[in-house]
Amino acid sequence: MHYWVRASPADFTGPLPQPRSGHTAVNIGKSKIVVFGGLVDKKFLNDISVYDIDNKLWFQPECTGSGSEGQTAPSPRAFHIAIAIDCHMFVFGGRLGTKRLGDFWVLDTDIWQWSELTSFGDLPSPRDFAAASAIGNQKIVMYGGWDGKKWLSDVFVLDTMSLEWTELAVSGTLPPPRCGHTATMVEKRLLVYGGRGGGGPIMGDLWALKGLIDEDTEVPGWTLLKLPGQAPAARCGHTVTSGGHYLLMFGGHGTGGWLSRYDVYFNDCVVLDRVSVQWKRLATNAEAPSPRAYHTMTSIGSRYLLFGGFDGKVTHGDLWWLVPEDDPITKRLSASPSEAIHESHDSSMSSGFRSKTKENHMDGSAISELQKRLNISISFSGGLQIIHEHEDKEFLELASRITGNTTFTNKQAAQALREHWRNSTPKSLRLKELSVLLRDYQRLISRHHFSIKTLCAACWANVGSHLQSTESGFIEKDTFRLYHITNASQLRMSDIPSLLTEYKQLPLD
């Protein structure tokens, strides 16, 4: 279990970076995070904001520098790449207005000095939305991007000592060209996920590139990976951050619908477990950052720090922590009324509130421990805002529209709408029904299958047994696999038949 905690003013001193998207944020060792560039309100940025990890201080250094045209810093840009090697941050490409950039800079973070570099070899073409990763502490690999006319699928390796670029000759099947993807070195392989491809489709494929390590003398080649588990939806503009034995994917942008397409922004967390080699959904609390893409996510020990991004309308400047459940920062949540048990409405019952919160924490700990022992990931109703159907105005309004009957009581309207869904097919469902259907699906599961107190009392006696759907509160991990989804925008087209099938298995009262 991990928890999202909105950063508070007490977490930092100094001036925070202004809102932006399409920026970069890199870790310089374990001492600082450097944020560069980005875009806000059609304005491209080239400022530097630094987070001093030890002193919990944000500051904006005064940088000196020298460029080929007398400038002291790179031009403003967004959707560039930035990779840290030791104390240096290397920056390539990006976009300024409608112009794709192909210049190459390095920032020495010890003395805060920019230098424009003259590189050699197979120079990559100007591009934005490429992805790159460090190979050890000397080389950088870059893949793909968009040059303003076509999507790219080329691979370049930069030696940061000689400043020589080499275009990698890759044999065999190549991934479709793309931009807005991620590229992450994991041991000896470069893992590439998602992105937007030729013709505009958003992809959800995972590829591995071998042959990047000189000592191995492997012939460079791509392999399409199809891993088990709960794979993420197709997306671009997401982040993948290394953390221990897993890779954490957050956010991004995709499309939804099947009759008409519409934009979808994600705020889900999916991990690629490097030990079991499978996808897993990361269980988190209900209060999460709003969906977004083209943000940054950096790791600080066991914590992750999210900054910025864009959701199709708003450019964000908020900062969020994602932390494990034993992190001291989670104590803020138990002190927050918004995190209390939803049944507690009377704010004057302070002693009752405290006891409920403590009881809820104990129950949650027992459930979390059970999940660890059984190797499952289930979100219980405490993590979702489950409201009664009589208080669900959208549910009742949809019932009236579909049945055409405005004289029904709330109970009759609920029964009629549920019968409608019981007789529906995936093709007959309309887009506006999905969020209401998902909410009612979660409501019925919560009502008929979850009993937290019963679970906590019975779970330890059943740890060794297989998970089954029983009256004691266990739910088989594959029985209701969409319960954890917090927003209908996270549903994939392939999820709709499963959602409807699982819904029809539920009691309708």
Side-chain angles (χ1 to χ4, degrees):
M1 185 71 181
H2 277 63
Y3 288 86
W4 284 109
V5 182
R6 186 187 292 272
S8 75
D11 291 338
F12 313 113
T13 56
L16 300 181
Q18 65 174 309
R20 67 190 69 203
S21 67
H23 55 288
T24 51
V26 302
N27 289 82
I28 304 296
K30 297 181 179 180
S31 64
K32 49 184 171 273
I33 294 172
V34 179
V35 176
F36 169 66
L39 173 69
V40 58
D41 297 330
K42 299 182 179 181
K43 179 183 178 182
F44 289 80
L45 308 172
N46 68 341
D47 59 334
I48 290 284
S49 287
V50 182
Y51 177 52
D52 182 326
I53 295 173
D54 293 334
N55 296 308
K56 301 180 180 180
L57 166 69
W58 283 97
F59 66 95
Q60 296 172 345
E62 293 185 9
C63 297
T64 60
S66 58
S68 60
E69 298 178 0
Q71 69 272 45
T72 58
S75 60
R77 66 192 63 207
F79 313 116
H80 51 282
I81 66 165
I83 300 295
I85 300 288
D86 294 327
C87 66
H88 297 97
M89 180 178 74
F90 292 87
V91 173
F92 174 80
R95 176 197 293 185
L96 174 57
T98 59
K99 180 183 179 182
R100 273 78 194 174
L101 303 172
D103 51 347
F104 182 33
W105 290 76
V106 63
L107 175 66
D108 185 330
T109 64
D110 282 344
I111 58 176
W112 301 113
Q113 183 177 67
W114 282 106
S115 299
E116 185 174 8
L117 300 176
T118 301
S119 48
F120 307 93
D122 308 319
L123 302 182
S125 59
R127 64 190 66 197
D128 56 10
F129 295 106
S133 185
I135 306 174
N137 62 355
Q138 182 174 331
K139 295 186 176 182
I140 295 171
V141 56
M142 179 177 71
Y143 168 72
W146 166 250
D147 68 3
K149 296 181 179 179
K150 62 181 181 297
W151 288 267
L152 305 170
S153 191
D154 47 7
V155 180
F156 289 88
V157 176
L158 171 71
D159 187 315
T160 61
M161 299 297 290
S162 65
L163 299 183
E164 182 178 6
W165 288 96
T166 302
E167 182 171 5
L168 203 65
V170 184
S171 60
T173 303
L174 302 180
R178 66 192 65 208
C179 67
H181 50 287
T182 51
T184 311
M185 281 297 297
V186 178
E187 297 179 357
K188 299 180 180 181
R189 300 289 188 267
L190 180 72
L191 297 185
V192 170
Y193 181 83
R196 184 185 293 274
I202 292 177
M203 296 178 284
D205 50 352
L206 177 68
W207 291 80
L209 175 63
K210 66 177 182 178
L212 293 169
I213 309 299
D214 292 338
E215 295 77 12
D216 290 348
T217 66
E218 286 185 308
V219 176
W222 288 101
T223 302
L224 176 62
L225 303 179
K226 295 185 178 181
L227 304 184
Q230 296 176 299
R235 64 190 69 197
C236 63
H238 54 287
T239 51
V240 171
T241 311
S242 295
H245 66 275
Y246 59 79
L247 303 177
L248 172 66
M249 180 184 297
F250 173 76
H253 167 251
T255 54
W258 58 97
L259 295 178
S260 61
R261 308 299 286 173
Y262 55 91
D263 290 336
V264 174
Y265 285 82
F266 300 105
N267 66 344
D268 55 342
C269 292
V270 186
V271 297
L272 176 54
D273 191 312
R274 295 167 54 184
V275 177
S276 61
V277 195
Q278 63 178 317
W279 294 106
K280 296 180 180 179
R281 299 281 173 173
L282 186 67
T284 61
N285 55 325
E287 185 182 353
S290 58
R292 65 192 67 197
Y294 306 109
H295 51 280
T296 54
M297 179 88 92
T298 47
S299 62
I300 304 175
S302 62
R303 294 178 175 181
Y304 296 90
L305 182 62
L306 168 69
F307 170 62
F310 181 69
D311 64 5
K313 295 181 180 178
V314 177
T315 300
H316 296 284
D318 48 352
L319 288 151
W320 287 78
W321 299 108
L322 179 64
V323 299
E325 59 186 339
D326 59 352
D327 192 295
I329 205 172
T330 61
K331 293 179 181 179
R332 292 183 199 167
L333 300 178
S334 61
S336 170
S338 64
E339 292 294 322
I341 291 180
H342 298 298
E343 290 82 0
S344 179
H345 296 292
D346 190 350
S347 59
S348 65
M349 297 175 62
S350 57
S351 61
F353 169 78
R354 286 194 295 270
S355 64
K356 282 286 187 182
T357 302
K358 182 178 180 180
E359 180 180 334
N360 189 46
H361 174 73
M362 292 174 64
D363 288 347
S365 299
I367 293 166
S368 176
E369 180 64 23
L370 175 67
Q371 291 173 328
K372 291 177 182 177
R373 295 196 178 202
L374 295 175
N375 192 28
I376 60 172
S377 177
I378 300 174
S379 297
F380 289 85
S381 58
L384 293 168
Q385 294 186 4
I386 306 295
I387 61 174
H388 196 277
E389 55 265 43
H390 295 175
E391 299 175 357
D392 190 338
K393 294 182 179 179
E394 191 178 2
F395 178 85
L396 297 175
E397 290 172 358
L398 181 62
S400 296
R401 288 200 301 270
I402 286 179
T403 62
N405 192 322
T406 59
T407 62
F408 275 160
T409 64
N410 288 345
K411 183 176 181 179
Q412 290 172 329
Q415 290 174 339
L417 183 54
R418 287 167 177 161
E419 285 294 342
H420 161 76
W421 282 328
R422 179 65 68 95
N423 296 319
S424 294
T425 65
K427 290 186 178 181
S428 68
L429 276 178
R430 289 175 286 184
L431 295 180
K432 61 185 178 183
E433 296 181 55
L434 283 181
S435 62
V436 185
L437 171 60
L438 176 64
R439 201 158 57 244
D440 199 47
Y441 160 87
Q442 293 165 335
R443 178 162 43 231
L444 293 176
I445 293 173
S446 175
R447 180 173 302 164
H448 294 287
H449 291 274
F450 287 150
S451 174
I452 300 300
K453 294 181 184 296
T454 305
L455 173 61
C456 290
C459 61
W460 305 118
N462 291 276
V463 163
S465 64
H466 294 294
L467 287 179
Q468 296 177 350
S469 295
T470 69
E471 293 181 356
S472 64
F474 285 102
I475 284 196
E476 187 173 348
K477 64 178 180 179
D478 294 325
T479 303
F480 299 113
R481 64 183 186 86
L482 302 173
Y483 181 78
H484 68 281
I485 292 180
T486 57
N487 191 299
S489 66
Q490 298 171 6
L491 289 170
R492 295 169 289 180
M493 290 177 59
S494 59
D495 291 331
I496 308 303
S498 299
L499 174 63
L500 204 55
T501 298
E502 294 174 16
Y503 183 84
K504 292 177 181 180
Q505 297 172 359
L506 295 166
L508 295 186
D509 58 334

